[in-house]
PDB file of all heavy atoms in Angstrom:
ATOM      1  N   THR A  35      12.213   4.785 -13.575  1.00  0.00           N
ATOM      2  CA  THR A  35      13.632   5.147 -13.607  1.00  0.00           C
ATOM      3  C   THR A  35      14.327   4.823 -14.928  1.00  0.00           C
ATOM      4  O   THR A  35      15.091   5.648 -15.430  1.00  0.00           O
ATOM      5  CB  THR A  35      14.359   4.505 -12.415  1.00  0.00           C
ATOM      6  OG1 THR A  35      13.865   5.127 -11.223  1.00  0.00           O
ATOM      7  CG2 THR A  35      15.861   4.699 -12.495  1.00  0.00           C
ATOM      8  N   PRO A  36      14.076   3.651 -15.537  1.00  0.00           N
ATOM      9  CA  PRO A  36      14.711   3.414 -16.838  1.00  0.00           C
ATOM     10  C   PRO A  36      14.359   4.504 -17.842  1.00  0.00           C
ATOM     11  O   PRO A  36      15.235   4.995 -18.571  1.00  0.00           O
ATOM     12  CB  PRO A  36      14.138   2.064 -17.265  1.00  0.00           C
ATOM     13  CG  PRO A  36      13.765   1.391 -16.001  1.00  0.00           C
ATOM     14  CD  PRO A  36      13.309   2.472 -15.087  1.00  0.00           C
ATOM     15  N   GLY A  37      13.082   4.879 -17.863  1.00  0.00           N
ATOM     16  CA  GLY A  37      12.659   5.944 -18.765  1.00  0.00           C
ATOM     17  C   GLY A  37      13.329   7.264 -18.419  1.00  0.00           C
ATOM     18  O   GLY A  37      13.745   8.021 -19.292  1.00  0.00           O
ATOM     19  N   VAL A  38      13.439   7.516 -17.114  1.00  0.00           N
ATOM     20  CA  VAL A  38      14.063   8.761 -16.669  1.00  0.00           C
ATOM     21  C   VAL A  38      15.522   8.810 -17.106  1.00  0.00           C
ATOM     22  O   VAL A  38      16.009   9.835 -17.589  1.00  0.00           O
ATOM     23  CB  VAL A  38      13.966   8.875 -15.121  1.00  0.00           C
ATOM     24  CG1 VAL A  38      14.829  10.012 -14.617  1.00  0.00           C
ATOM     25  CG2 VAL A  38      12.523   9.060 -14.694  1.00  0.00           C
ATOM     26  N   MET A  39      16.218   7.678 -16.975  1.00  0.00           N
ATOM     27  CA  MET A  39      17.632   7.661 -17.366  1.00  0.00           C
ATOM     28  C   MET A  39      17.778   7.873 -18.871  1.00  0.00           C
ATOM     29  O   MET A  39      18.709   8.548 -19.326  1.00  0.00           O
ATOM     30  CB  MET A  39      18.295   6.354 -16.925  1.00  0.00           C
ATOM     31  CG  MET A  39      18.471   6.301 -15.408  1.00  0.00           C
ATOM     32  SD  MET A  39      19.193   4.744 -14.814  1.00  0.00           S
ATOM     33  CE  MET A  39      20.915   4.999 -15.226  1.00  0.00           C
ATOM     34  N   CYS A  40      16.844   7.302 -19.631  1.00  0.00           N
ATOM     35  CA  CYS A  40      16.872   7.519 -21.080  1.00  0.00           C
ATOM     36  C   CYS A  40      16.709   8.992 -21.398  1.00  0.00           C
ATOM     37  O   CYS A  40      17.487   9.567 -22.162  1.00  0.00           O
ATOM     38  CB  CYS A  40      15.724   6.756 -21.755  1.00  0.00           C
ATOM     39  SG  CYS A  40      15.985   5.002 -21.848  1.00  0.00           S
ATOM     40  N   VAL A  41      15.679   9.584 -20.792  1.00  0.00           N
ATOM     41  CA  VAL A  41      15.409  10.995 -21.067  1.00  0.00           C
ATOM     42  C   VAL A  41      16.592  11.838 -20.636  1.00  0.00           C
ATOM     43  O   VAL A  41      17.032  12.747 -21.350  1.00  0.00           O
ATOM     44  CB  VAL A  41      14.121  11.445 -20.343  1.00  0.00           C
ATOM     45  CG1 VAL A  41      13.997  12.948 -20.378  1.00  0.00           C
ATOM     46  CG2 VAL A  41      12.915  10.794 -20.982  1.00  0.00           C
ATOM     47  N   GLY A  42      17.141  11.519 -19.467  1.00  0.00           N
ATOM     48  CA  GLY A  42      18.298  12.271 -18.978  1.00  0.00           C
ATOM     49  C   GLY A  42      19.437  12.220 -19.977  1.00  0.00           C
ATOM     50  O   GLY A  42      19.993  13.261 -20.369  1.00  0.00           O
ATOM     51  N   ALA A  43      19.774  11.002 -20.398  1.00  0.00           N
ATOM     52  CA  ALA A  43      20.894  10.852 -21.322  1.00  0.00           C
ATOM     53  C   ALA A  43      20.640  11.615 -22.612  1.00  0.00           C
ATOM     54  O   ALA A  43      21.506  12.336 -23.110  1.00  0.00           O
ATOM     55  CB  ALA A  43      21.111   9.369 -21.618  1.00  0.00           C
ATOM     56  N   SER A  44      19.422  11.487 -23.144  1.00  0.00           N
ATOM     57  CA  SER A  44      19.164  12.113 -24.437  1.00  0.00           C
ATOM     58  C   SER A  44      19.127  13.634 -24.319  1.00  0.00           C
ATOM     59  O   SER A  44      19.595  14.335 -25.211  1.00  0.00           O
ATOM     60  CB  SER A  44      17.874  11.576 -25.049  1.00  0.00           C
ATOM     61  OG  SER A  44      16.795  11.849 -24.212  1.00  0.00           O
ATOM     62  N   CYS A  45      18.599  14.139 -23.200  1.00  0.00           N
ATOM     63  CA  CYS A  45      18.579  15.587 -23.021  1.00  0.00           C
ATOM     64  C   CYS A  45      19.998  16.121 -22.973  1.00  0.00           C
ATOM     65  O   CYS A  45      20.311  17.166 -23.574  1.00  0.00           O
ATOM     66  CB  CYS A  45      17.856  15.974 -21.723  1.00  0.00           C
ATOM     67  SG  CYS A  45      16.088  15.873 -21.866  1.00  0.00           S
ATOM     68  N   GLY A  46      20.866  15.411 -22.257  1.00  0.00           N
ATOM     69  CA  GLY A  46      22.251  15.839 -22.161  1.00  0.00           C
ATOM     70  C   GLY A  46      22.916  15.863 -23.532  1.00  0.00           C
ATOM     71  O   GLY A  46      23.562  16.837 -23.913  1.00  0.00           O
ATOM     72  N   CYS A  47      22.709  14.761 -24.272  1.00  0.00           N
ATOM     73  CA  CYS A  47      23.318  14.677 -25.604  1.00  0.00           C
ATOM     74  C   CYS A  47      22.785  15.777 -26.510  1.00  0.00           C
ATOM     75  O   CYS A  47      23.531  16.394 -27.271  1.00  0.00           O
ATOM     76  CB  CYS A  47      23.015  13.307 -26.223  1.00  0.00           C
ATOM     77  SG  CYS A  47      23.863  11.968 -25.392  1.00  0.00           S
ATOM     78  N   PHE A  48      21.492  15.998 -26.402  1.00  0.00           N
ATOM     79  CA  PHE A  48      20.849  16.999 -27.239  1.00  0.00           C
ATOM     80  C   PHE A  48      21.430  18.381 -26.938  1.00  0.00           C
ATOM     81  O   PHE A  48      21.757  19.147 -27.853  1.00  0.00           O
ATOM     82  CB  PHE A  48      19.345  16.966 -27.000  1.00  0.00           C
ATOM     83  CG  PHE A  48      18.571  17.869 -27.904  1.00  0.00           C
ATOM     84  CD1 PHE A  48      18.570  17.648 -29.279  1.00  0.00           C
ATOM     85  CD2 PHE A  48      17.829  18.922 -27.398  1.00  0.00           C
ATOM     86  CE1 PHE A  48      17.851  18.481 -30.127  1.00  0.00           C
ATOM     87  CE2 PHE A  48      17.111  19.758 -28.236  1.00  0.00           C
ATOM     88  CZ  PHE A  48      17.123  19.527 -29.601  1.00  0.00           C
ATOM     89  N   ALA A  49      21.584  18.674 -25.655  1.00  0.00           N
ATOM     90  CA  ALA A  49      22.108  19.988 -25.266  1.00  0.00           C
ATOM     91  C   ALA A  49      23.529  20.163 -25.785  1.00  0.00           C
ATOM     92  O   ALA A  49      23.899  21.234 -26.283  1.00  0.00           O
ATOM     93  CB  ALA A  49      22.061  20.132 -23.743  1.00  0.00           C
ATOM     94  N   GLU A  50      24.308  19.078 -25.685  1.00  0.00           N
ATOM     95  CA  GLU A  50      25.682  19.127 -26.193  1.00  0.00           C
ATOM     96  C   GLU A  50      25.683  19.417 -27.696  1.00  0.00           C
ATOM     97  O   GLU A  50      26.455  20.239 -28.187  1.00  0.00           O
ATOM     98  CB  GLU A  50      26.361  17.780 -25.910  1.00  0.00           C
ATOM     99  CG  GLU A  50      27.846  17.764 -26.162  1.00  0.00           C
ATOM    100  CD  GLU A  50      28.638  18.326 -25.001  1.00  0.00           C
ATOM    101  OE1 GLU A  50      28.233  19.379 -24.469  1.00  0.00           O
ATOM    102  OE2 GLU A  50      29.648  17.723 -24.594  1.00  0.00           O
ATOM    103  N   TYR A  51      24.805  18.744 -28.383  1.00  0.00           N
ATOM    104  CA  TYR A  51      24.657  18.908 -29.827  1.00  0.00           C
ATOM    105  C   TYR A  51      24.350  20.355 -30.177  1.00  0.00           C
ATOM    106  O   TYR A  51      24.991  20.964 -31.044  1.00  0.00           O
ATOM    107  CB  TYR A  51      23.547  17.963 -30.284  1.00  0.00           C
ATOM    108  CG  TYR A  51      23.111  18.080 -31.729  1.00  0.00           C
ATOM    109  CD1 TYR A  51      23.856  17.490 -32.747  1.00  0.00           C
ATOM    110  CD2 TYR A  51      21.925  18.736 -32.058  1.00  0.00           C
ATOM    111  CE1 TYR A  51      23.445  17.565 -34.053  1.00  0.00           C
ATOM    112  CE2 TYR A  51      21.501  18.821 -33.364  1.00  0.00           C
ATOM    113  CZ  TYR A  51      22.262  18.231 -34.372  1.00  0.00           C
ATOM    114  OH  TYR A  51      21.842  18.302 -35.665  1.00  0.00           O
ATOM    115  N   ILE A  52      23.383  20.907 -29.459  1.00  0.00           N
ATOM    116  CA  ILE A  52      22.990  22.299 -29.704  1.00  0.00           C
ATOM    117  C   ILE A  52      24.158  23.240 -29.419  1.00  0.00           C
ATOM    118  O   ILE A  52      24.452  24.155 -30.188  1.00  0.00           O
ATOM    119  CB  ILE A  52      21.798  22.691 -28.789  1.00  0.00           C
ATOM    120  CG1 ILE A  52      20.609  21.786 -29.036  1.00  0.00           C
ATOM    121  CG2 ILE A  52      21.453  24.162 -28.943  1.00  0.00           C
ATOM    122  CD1 ILE A  52      19.720  22.216 -30.147  1.00  0.00           C
ATOM    123  N   TYR A  53      24.819  22.966 -28.294  1.00  0.00           N
ATOM    124  CA  TYR A  53      25.908  23.854 -27.881  1.00  0.00           C
ATOM    125  C   TYR A  53      27.033  23.849 -28.913  1.00  0.00           C
ATOM    126  O   TYR A  53      27.505  24.901 -29.356  1.00  0.00           O
ATOM    127  CB  TYR A  53      26.414  23.423 -26.503  1.00  0.00           C
ATOM    128  CG  TYR A  53      27.650  24.145 -26.045  1.00  0.00           C
ATOM    129  CD1 TYR A  53      27.632  25.540 -25.855  1.00  0.00           C
ATOM    130  CD2 TYR A  53      28.838  23.471 -25.808  1.00  0.00           C
ATOM    131  CE1 TYR A  53      28.766  26.215 -25.437  1.00  0.00           C
ATOM    132  CE2 TYR A  53      29.972  24.133 -25.379  1.00  0.00           C
ATOM    133  CZ  TYR A  53      29.936  25.513 -25.208  1.00  0.00           C
ATOM    134  OH  TYR A  53      31.049  26.171 -24.795  1.00  0.00           O
ATOM    135  N   PHE A  54      27.450  22.651 -29.323  1.00  0.00           N
ATOM    136  CA  PHE A  54      28.531  22.554 -30.315  1.00  0.00           C
ATOM    137  C   PHE A  54      28.113  23.201 -31.619  1.00  0.00           C
ATOM    138  O   PHE A  54      28.908  23.850 -32.301  1.00  0.00           O
ATOM    139  CB  PHE A  54      28.906  21.091 -30.572  1.00  0.00           C
ATOM    140  CG  PHE A  54      29.672  20.469 -29.431  1.00  0.00           C
ATOM    141  CD1 PHE A  54      30.048  19.134 -29.476  1.00  0.00           C
ATOM    142  CD2 PHE A  54      30.013  21.227 -28.318  1.00  0.00           C
ATOM    143  CE1 PHE A  54      30.751  18.575 -28.429  1.00  0.00           C
ATOM    144  CE2 PHE A  54      30.713  20.668 -27.272  1.00  0.00           C
ATOM    145  CZ  PHE A  54      31.081  19.336 -27.319  1.00  0.00           C
ATOM    146  N   ASP A  55      26.867  22.997 -31.964  1.00  0.00           N
ATOM    147  CA  ASP A  55      26.340  23.563 -33.184  1.00  0.00           C
ATOM    148  C   ASP A  55      26.419  25.088 -33.143  1.00  0.00           C
ATOM    149  O   ASP A  55      26.720  25.734 -34.147  1.00  0.00           O
ATOM    150  CB  ASP A  55      24.877  23.112 -33.338  1.00  0.00           C
ATOM    151  CG  ASP A  55      24.509  22.987 -34.795  1.00  0.00           C
ATOM    152  OD1 ASP A  55      25.382  22.538 -35.570  1.00  0.00           O
ATOM    153  OD2 ASP A  55      23.370  23.332 -35.139  1.00  0.00           O
ATOM    154  N   ALA A  56      26.164  25.619 -31.982  1.00  0.00           N
ATOM    155  CA  ALA A  56      26.085  27.066 -31.837  1.00  0.00           C
ATOM    156  C   ALA A  56      27.471  27.708 -31.855  1.00  0.00           C
ATOM    157  O   ALA A  56      27.661  28.757 -32.469  1.00  0.00           O
ATOM    158  CB  ALA A  56      25.355  27.437 -30.556  1.00  0.00           C
ATOM    159  N   VAL A  57      28.438  27.088 -31.171  1.00  0.00           N
ATOM    160  CA  VAL A  57      29.735  27.758 -31.047  1.00  0.00           C
ATOM    161  C   VAL A  57      30.776  27.244 -32.039  1.00  0.00           C
ATOM    162  O   VAL A  57      31.823  27.857 -32.205  1.00  0.00           O
ATOM    163  CB  VAL A  57      30.319  27.616 -29.617  1.00  0.00           C
ATOM    164  CG1 VAL A  57      29.428  28.326 -28.628  1.00  0.00           C
ATOM    165  CG2 VAL A  57      30.499  26.156 -29.244  1.00  0.00           C
ATOM    166  N   GLY A  58      30.500  26.108 -32.668  1.00  0.00           N
ATOM    167  CA  GLY A  58      31.494  25.553 -33.580  1.00  0.00           C
ATOM    168  C   GLY A  58      32.616  24.882 -32.804  1.00  0.00           C
ATOM    169  O   GLY A  58      32.774  25.101 -31.590  1.00  0.00           O
ATOM    170  N   VAL A  59      33.413  24.077 -33.494  1.00  0.00           N
ATOM    171  CA  VAL A  59      34.412  23.272 -32.804  1.00  0.00           C
ATOM    172  C   VAL A  59      35.449  24.137 -32.088  1.00  0.00           C
ATOM    173  O   VAL A  59      35.948  23.803 -31.010  1.00  0.00           O
ATOM    174  CB  VAL A  59      35.118  22.329 -33.799  1.00  0.00           C
ATOM    175  CG1 VAL A  59      36.150  21.473 -33.097  1.00  0.00           C
ATOM    176  CG2 VAL A  59      34.098  21.465 -34.508  1.00  0.00           C
ATOM    177  N   ILE A  60      35.737  25.267 -32.668  1.00  0.00           N
ATOM    178  CA  ILE A  60      36.807  26.099 -32.095  1.00  0.00           C
ATOM    179  C   ILE A  60      36.343  26.802 -30.829  1.00  0.00           C
ATOM    180  O   ILE A  60      37.100  26.978 -29.892  1.00  0.00           O
ATOM    181  CB  ILE A  60      37.301  27.140 -33.128  1.00  0.00           C
ATOM    182  CG1 ILE A  60      37.636  26.400 -34.425  1.00  0.00           C
ATOM    183  CG2 ILE A  60      38.513  27.896 -32.618  1.00  0.00           C
ATOM    184  CD1 ILE A  60      36.961  26.932 -35.652  1.00  0.00           C
TER     185      ILE A  60
END
Side-chain angles (χ1 to χ4, degrees):
Chain A
T35 293
V38 169
M39 289 178 77
C40 286
V41 168
S44 60
C45 283
C47 291
F48 185 64
E50 190 82 315
Y51 173 80
I52 301 274
Y53 172 62
F54 287 178
D55 211 38
V57 296
V59 181
I60 308 126

